[in-house]
């Protein structure tokens, strides 16, 4: 595998894990949340530096569905993460306590809102690149042959993840977290870290699978037309 691609995959994996840790504010506490936020900021910059060539491709070539979706999602993801990071500074209690503002509820709402939209867009972003991720994983593990049984098994697993993800989205009131009117929603203060990770990975699974298979269908439809 190309060393640069390997580094990008590792950084993306660390970013995803860090995002999950940052979302688990009620489990980790404020200090860890803020430290992870700073770490995410650094990774965010590194990620954009490593993928700087992508910005040059925005105005090149024909705009197919996947390219349009990729551009829109990536730019929105960039904006939401930037807003989440910027809004975190004035509400910081540990790392930047000297920058705090009075009556910071609006800023907190913006921070939570942008963070949750960033989480969703991150999952869609992964879904767009899922084919490349799978191919890279195959090369790393030495799996070069296709298997009908393995394909069916993974698709069944994907269905189970999506079904559970939809259920848990309602239980956790994810919809209200994406609305500025009630961004805080439900907090399970007594839940374990493992439960949190499983639930949020399942929620990510909805958007990863949905994006991946929608794009596959569109590509198949476009090939049939041509």
């Amino acid at each position: 595998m190309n060393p640069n691609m390997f580094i990008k995959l590792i950084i993306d994996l660390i970013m995803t894990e860090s995002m999950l840790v940052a979302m688990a504010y009620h489990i980790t506490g404020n200090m860890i949340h803020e430290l992870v936020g700073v770490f995410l900021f650094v990774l965010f910059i590194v990620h954009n530096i490593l993928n700087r060539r992508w910005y040059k491709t925005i105005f090149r070539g024909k705009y197919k569905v996947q390219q349009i979706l990729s551009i829109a999602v990536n730019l929105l993801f960039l904006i939401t993460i930037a807003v989440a990071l910027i809004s975190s500074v004035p509400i910081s209690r540990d790392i930047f306590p000297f920058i705090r503002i009075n009556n910071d509820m609006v800023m907190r709402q913006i921070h939570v809102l942008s963070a949750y939209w960033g989480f969703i867009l991150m999952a869609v972003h992964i879904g767009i690149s899922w084919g490349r991720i799978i191919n890279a994983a195959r090369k790393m593990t030495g799996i070069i042959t296709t298997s009908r049984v393995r394909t069916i098994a993974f698709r069944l697993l994907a269905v189970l993840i999506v079904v559970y993800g939809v259920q848990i989205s309602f239980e956790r009131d994810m919809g209200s977290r994406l609305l500025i009117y009630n961004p805080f929603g439900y907090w399970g203060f007594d839940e374990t870290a493992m439960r949190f990770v499983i639930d949020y990975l399942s929620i990510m699974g909805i958007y990863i699978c949905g994006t991946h298979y929608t794009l596959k269908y569109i590509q198949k439809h476009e090939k049939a037309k041509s």
Side-chain angles (χ1 to χ4, degrees):
M1 180 190 293
N2 187 308
N4 289 335
M5 178 60 71
F6 179 74
I7 292 171
K8 288 179 182 180
L9 284 173
I10 294 298
I11 289 177
D12 288 353
L13 179 61
I14 296 172
M15 281 186 71
T16 303
E17 292 174 349
S18 299
M19 189 75 170
L20 286 172
V21 174
M23 302 291 284
Y25 177 86
H26 58 292
I27 296 175
T28 63
N30 190 73
M31 175 58 85
I32 293 177
H33 176 77
E34 292 191 16
L35 288 172
V36 171
V38 172
F39 182 57
L40 263 173
F41 174 70
V42 174
L43 288 177
F44 185 65
I45 292 174
V46 173
H47 174 83
N48 278 276
I49 291 173
L50 291 175
N51 293 278
R52 61 189 180 279
R53 291 183 180 178
W54 177 83
Y55 292 97
K56 297 178 181 179
T57 66
I58 293 178
F59 303 105
R60 293 180 184 174
K62 293 182 179 180
Y63 289 95
K64 294 184 178 181
V65 174
Q66 182 165 350
Q67 187 180 5
I68 294 171
L69 180 63
S70 178
I71 292 171
V73 169
N74 288 346
L75 291 179
L76 287 171
F77 183 47
L78 179 69
I79 292 169
T80 53
I81 294 301
V83 171
L85 292 171
I86 292 169
S87 62
S88 68
V89 176
I91 62 175
S92 170
R93 295 207 310 260
D94 293 307
I95 297 180
F96 305 107
F98 49 89
I99 309 180
R100 290 200 69 186
I101 60 174
N102 295 325
N103 195 16
D104 59 2
M105 182 54 69
V106 173
M107 197 62 69
R108 288 179 182 277
Q109 288 180 325
I110 292 172
H111 180 66
V112 174
L113 176 72
S114 56
Y116 272 89
W117 273 109
F119 173 74
I120 299 298
L121 289 167
M122 178 182 70
V124 176
H125 173 77
I126 294 172
I128 293 171
S129 306
W130 192 247
R132 292 196 297 272
I133 293 171
I134 292 298
N135 288 334
R138 283 175 177 168
K139 290 179 181 178
M140 289 174 64
T141 55
I143 299 174
I144 56 176
T145 58
T146 58
S147 168
R148 185 173 178 80
V149 174
R150 186 171 61 239
T151 300
I152 292 172
F154 277 120
R155 286 181 180 174
L156 285 174
L157 178 61
V159 170
L160 291 174
I161 290 172
V162 169
V163 170
Y164 180 73
V166 171
Q167 176 190 339
I168 212 66
S169 293
F170 283 106
E171 287 184 12
R172 288 182 175 273
D173 200 18
M174 288 295 293
S176 70
R177 295 172 189 249
L178 300 174
L179 299 173
I180 199 165
Y181 303 106
N182 182 22
F184 297 98
Y186 159 82
W187 295 107
F189 289 100
D190 57 344
E191 72 177 333
T192 63
M194 182 61 70
R195 169 69 189 276
F196 177 88
V197 170
I198 291 172
D199 286 2
Y200 273 74
L201 284 177
S202 298
I203 293 170
M204 284 182 65
I206 301 170
Y207 301 95
I208 293 172
C209 292
T211 304
H212 174 66
Y213 285 109
T214 298
L215 287 176
K216 281 192 72 172
Y217 173 79
I218 292 171
Q219 289 167 358
K220 186 177 180 180
H221 190 64
E222 287 178 345
K223 282 184 180 179
K225 277 187 174 182
S226 60

